[in-house]
Every structure is written in C-alpha cells, then in structure tokens.
Amino acid sequence: MNDLKILKQGAEAKLYICKYLGKSTLIKERFQKRYRHPDLDKSITKERIRNEARSIVRCKTADVKTPALYLVDFQRRRIYMQHFEHSITVKDYIIQHATKNAEITQNLDEICKMIGITVRKLHENNIIHGDLTTSNMLLVPKNLNNETTEEKCLEKERFDLVMIDFGLSFIDSSTEDKGVDLYVLERALISTHNDYPDLFSKILDAYKNHSKNNIKEILSKFEEVRARGRKRTMVG
Amino acid sequence: MSPEPYICDLDEDTNTTLNIYLFKNVENVEDIRNYIIKGEWNCAVIKPSLIIDPFQIAVAANKAVVSEKHNSMVTKTVYAEILYNLSLTKNISQSLSKFGIEKENNLLVCFLITPDKDYSQDILPKIQGQLCSMSELTSLTNMNDVKSVYKLNSSKGDDLLDVIVSRIVTKGFVSH
C-alpha cells in the first residue's frame, strides 16, 4: 500500500484516502490497542467494525444518506467506503460561510430542517448514532458537474445531508437512547456553535414535525436527560 | 475495432485486475455452461439482467479475491465466489443458479488477471456471440428482477448502485 494518504487519526482509528476500485475511497482502520489482550482486541475490533457497517447499511434502508461501502475487511481491520471529495462538514460550513446576511440564515434554516428530519428518520428506525455532532454531518452537492462549484450548490440548496462516523452507533428502540442522542447533539451545538443559539431548537422542531409517532415520550425523556446529564443515575 | 472490456484494478495486495466482457446473442451457451461447471474455464459468466453497473461485479470480485488471499472463501473457487458474493443469500447453489447463466443468450464474462495468469485470450475466441460495448448493459438490465433479488422497495435510481454494493459487502453479518 504505497499511495495511502493519512487524513486523520483518532483514538480508535486512522482514516486514509485512496483510489480503490477506481473510486475515491476512505479507509477507516481500527488499529491494534497494545494494552488489550490480543484476542480480546481482535474480537472487540471485529464487533465494532461489524456494528458500524451494519448501521451504515441500515441507514440506507431508512432513507438516510451514508457513504457506500466497498469492502469490510476484518483481517486488516478496515472498512473501505465512499469518500465525498466535494463535501464540507456542517461544522465547517457554519463556521466558514455563515455571516449574518439573510440568505445564509435561510440556508442555515434549511440545513437545520434537514438535520432534524434525518435524525428523526434514524430514530424511527431505532438507529442511535451515538455521536451526533456537526462534524459528523456532511453537505454534499447533488449532481455535481464541472460548472457548479461547491458554494453555488449550497446557495441553491441543492445538496444532500450525509451522515458519517457510526463508530459509536447501535440499534435500540428505547426512548432513553433517543433522548440521549438528542442531548449529545444539543451539547455539541452549544459548544461548537455558541454564536448561533437557535440551531438546536430549529432542528428539534423539524424532528418533531417529521412524524408524530412516539414523539411525546421521546421529548419527555429528552427533558429528563437534559435535567440530569447523559449518564443514567447509578442508584438501584 | 472490437469494443473494449470494463477493466478495474482490484485490491492492491492481490495484484489482480478484473476484465469484464459483454456478449449478446451467444449461440453456444450450453457448451459454455458445461465448461464452467466442469471447471475447465477459469472465468465467471453472469446474467446481465441482474447487473445494473459493472462496478457491482467489481465489488463482488474484489471481495472474492480478498477472501481468497485470506483463505476465507465460502465456495471452492474464486469465480464461484464472485457469483456467491453478488447474491444476498447464503445458499451457495441458489446464488450460482440465480446469477449464473442458464438459457439466456446475453452474458457477462469476467476474468481475474494477475501478472502470471491470464486465460482470457484462450477463452474469448470460443464464445460464439457478438462482443458489445459495456454501455449496452443498461438495456439488458431487468430492474424488477434486480429490485427483487436485492430486496429494494424504493425506486430512488441514483443511489441504487450504492445500496447494492453496500449490501454485497455486508451480507455475511447483516440480514437484508
């Protein structure tokens, strides 16, 4: 493997960019943790890779856009997936492009609505993302051709919202986990985008309006989580 | 000049290139089928009606050559493994009969080429049919059949290929 470009290194995995099967590809490699017993390390890694791939595929059935998977390789501890070359994270979009003019505000409203609907779709299908932050959401221009630049597409609202990094995701039908998922998102927005205090309420509105199913229970659970913090009390 | 095949370099560690040829109106389908079943031909022959894009085969073939390298194949040969990977079922004979050829006279012929092995030039002349450009594949795809084998209910056209390849690579541990 000579032309692997390292993109990022996190606590769990390294991300590489390369051409694979003729496509621009992102490789997520979960490296070995030396402090773990090798057998345990292997089984934990396998379980996490499997989990992540499962959620990504499940999202597609739930009509939530995620990267396409090109190979899941337990031996090399890697997931090979579609890399969106012409994309920007929601986080960077808000930080770089958002000024206080009206057009951008309108764009932000649109993005918030998409986020709300998307998170709702995940939860309707019992997919808990586990790490809902604006860095794990990509804006990808639709039908990119040579003439449309990234920015133009965003201006014309011709973009998709793609969810990434399902490393902490799991499947659960409980309202507790959905409430925590929303709470994580709220905290992330407060710490990353504190100059836009109404992002979360706009997202939550879209979340509520997309479907009425079970919404009361989820919202009251969310309020409960908000009051006590993410961790459940250890009493009892 | 004869139409060029679809060519795709597979995983670097396997040093393998996939070549796919599209044939129409093949007259000796039964012979071809027999050669393959007997193991005399080193190639995979696939029904074009279930393929929406050659990349679908590239992903299945890549998974097959990687499994071969890791000694984790489910079937006996890497070519059977391609057909098995294409299908979502874990039943080998069902996969082979679903994606392999029976009586249809259009077919996709796939070769795995390594620096020391290339059987394509021995086999291709023995196929009595009309070699076509891969761009004609779309006219041979049966969307209803594709949707039924890959259990796709929605009709969002542009993401179909992404969904199919993602299901192919996760079939071992996700029930679709």
Side-chain angles (χ1 to χ4, degrees):
Chain A
M1 285 287 177
N2 27 27
D3 48 352
L4 283 186
K5 256 190 295 179
I6 191 153
L7 179 76
K8 244 182 212 167
Q9 157 136 29
E12 292 276 328
K14 287 178 188 157
L15 298 181
Y16 303 96
I17 305 281
C18 67
K19 263 264 185 294
Y20 195 72
L21 306 178
K23 308 257 182 187
S24 177
T25 299
L26 183 92
I27 302 176
K28 181 165 183 176
E29 181 178 276
R30 292 175 175 271
F31 44 79
Q32 204 178 345
K33 300 270 184 169
R34 301 266 171 213
Y35 55 80
R36 274 185 209 138
H37 187 281
D39 292 350
L40 179 65
D41 186 60
K42 210 173 154 193
S43 69
I44 289 176
T45 302
K46 191 170 178 183
E47 189 48 44
R48 294 201 175 149
I49 290 175
R50 189 184 291 175
N51 212 37
E52 181 161 9
R54 191 183 283 144
S55 295
I56 289 174
V57 176
R58 211 173 158 130
C59 280
K60 295 183 181 299
T61 320
D63 191 30
V64 169
K65 295 204 167 18
T66 48
L69 301 180
Y70 299 147
L71 182 69
V72 179
D73 189 333
F74 295 114
Q75 310 259 345
R76 287 181 291 188
R77 306 161 158 260
R78 288 171 170 179
I79 298 181
Y80 293 68
M81 61 187 120
Q82 178 181 14
H83 173 56
F84 298 95
E85 284 173 297
H86 303 276
S87 68
I88 179 167
T89 64
V90 170
K91 177 182 169 181
D92 290 343
Y93 178 78
I94 295 176
I95 291 171
Q96 290 169 23
H97 297 256
T99 47
K100 303 274 178 192
N101 72 52
E103 199 186 334
I104 293 292
T105 314
Q106 205 190 335
N107 254 345
L108 271 186
D109 286 355
E110 185 61 27
I111 291 170
C112 287
K113 196 175 155 194
M114 286 176 86
I115 296 172
I117 292 171
T118 303
V119 176
R120 187 75 179 125
K121 280 184 196 163
L122 291 178
H123 288 178
E124 292 249 87
N125 288 276
N126 299 324
I127 304 164
I128 311 300
H129 185 281
D131 192 14
L132 285 175
T133 64
T134 45
S135 341
N136 289 336
M137 302 171 187
L138 300 181
L139 299 173
V140 181
K142 279 184 198 170
N143 314 318
L144 189 78
N145 60 46
N146 299 333
E147 285 161 44
T148 48
T149 65
E150 256 165 66
E151 283 175 36
K152 269 189 189 154
C153 283
L154 292 174
E155 279 163 21
K156 287 181 198 151
E157 299 175 4
R158 284 171 56 231
F159 54 83
D160 283 322
L161 184 73
V162 176
M163 303 299 286
I164 57 166
D165 196 354
F166 287 80
L168 293 174
S169 70
F170 54 98
I171 306 293
D172 200 299
S173 59
S174 75
T175 51
E176 165 79 24
D177 290 311
K178 293 170 191 175
V180 171
D181 224 18
L182 287 172
Y183 178 70
V184 167
L185 176 61
E186 186 185 32
R187 301 301 304 173
L189 288 167
I190 291 171
S191 63
T192 325
H193 306 291
N194 57 359
D195 40 345
Y196 291 95
D198 55 350
L199 293 177
F200 185 73
S201 65
K202 283 176 184 163
I203 292 171
L204 198 60
D205 279 343
Y207 182 94
K208 284 182 217 164
N209 293 333
H210 183 64
S211 143
K212 296 288 168 219
N213 186 21
N214 223 10
I215 191 73
K216 260 194 200 143
E217 290 83 347
I218 296 173
L219 288 179
S220 75
K221 205 62 173 183
F222 167 62
E223 292 299 339
E224 196 184 310
V225 176
R226 214 183 203 177
R228 62 147 215 249
R230 185 167 62 90
K231 302 276 188 209
R232 218 192 289 244
T233 44
M234 289 306 189
V235 182
Chain B
M1 228 181 79
S2 62
E4 292 293 310
Y6 168 86
I7 300 173
C8 182
D9 287 330
L10 303 182
D11 196 288
E12 235 177 87
D13 291 3
T14 67
N15 227 335
T16 307
T17 302
L18 170 72
N19 284 14
I20 310 177
Y21 296 82
L22 174 61
F23 282 93
K24 286 208 295 202
N25 308 318
V26 179
E27 284 159 17
N28 56 340
V29 174
E30 213 162 302
D31 296 340
I32 294 172
R33 196 164 178 266
N34 286 331
Y35 287 133
I36 289 172
I37 290 171
K38 282 191 216 144
E40 289 175 22
W41 279 17
N42 284 303
C43 64
V45 180
I46 297 168
K47 260 186 205 137
S49 60
L50 293 176
I51 305 298
I52 67 165
D53 188 296
F55 185 66
Q56 182 183 344
I57 299 176
V59 169
N62 184 57
K63 190 182 168 196
V65 294
V66 170
S67 306
E68 187 185 34
K69 191 179 158 67
H70 293 158
N71 293 319
S72 58
M73 289 207 299
V74 176
T75 60
K76 286 180 193 153
T77 71
V78 69
Y79 286 109
E81 193 80 3
I82 297 177
L83 296 183
Y84 174 75
N85 287 344
L86 279 169
S87 150
L88 295 187
T89 162
K90 289 188 185 171
N91 183 312
I92 296 172
S93 62
Q94 266 179 28
S95 309
L96 301 186
S97 63
K98 193 149 254 169
F99 282 84
I101 45 158
E102 276 162 308
K103 289 183 185 112
E104 38 278 293
N105 31 31
N106 303 324
L107 37 99
L108 287 159
V109 188
C110 315
F111 298 97
L112 297 170
I113 294 166
T114 54
D116 51 319
K117 258 191 244 158
D118 180 357
Y119 298 110
S120 62
Q121 298 315 312
D122 309 332
I123 293 173
L124 286 169
K126 295 178 185 153
I127 298 171
Q128 295 160 19
Q130 175 195 352
L131 183 58
C132 297
S133 152
M134 201 49 76
S135 60
E136 291 190 45
L137 175 63
T138 36
S139 66
L140 303 175
T141 309
N142 182 330
M143 271 306 183
N144 288 332
D145 290 357
V146 170
K147 282 182 184 168
S148 109
V149 294
Y150 288 105
K151 297 174 185 157
L152 307 158
N153 28 27
S154 64
S155 55
K156 302 162 285 137
D158 46 333
D159 293 335
L160 224 52
L161 181 61
D162 285 355
V163 177
I164 290 172
V165 300
S166 302
R167 290 196 178 185
I168 286 174
V169 298
T170 53
K171 88 171 223 189
F173 54 92
V174 180
S175 49
H176 294 295

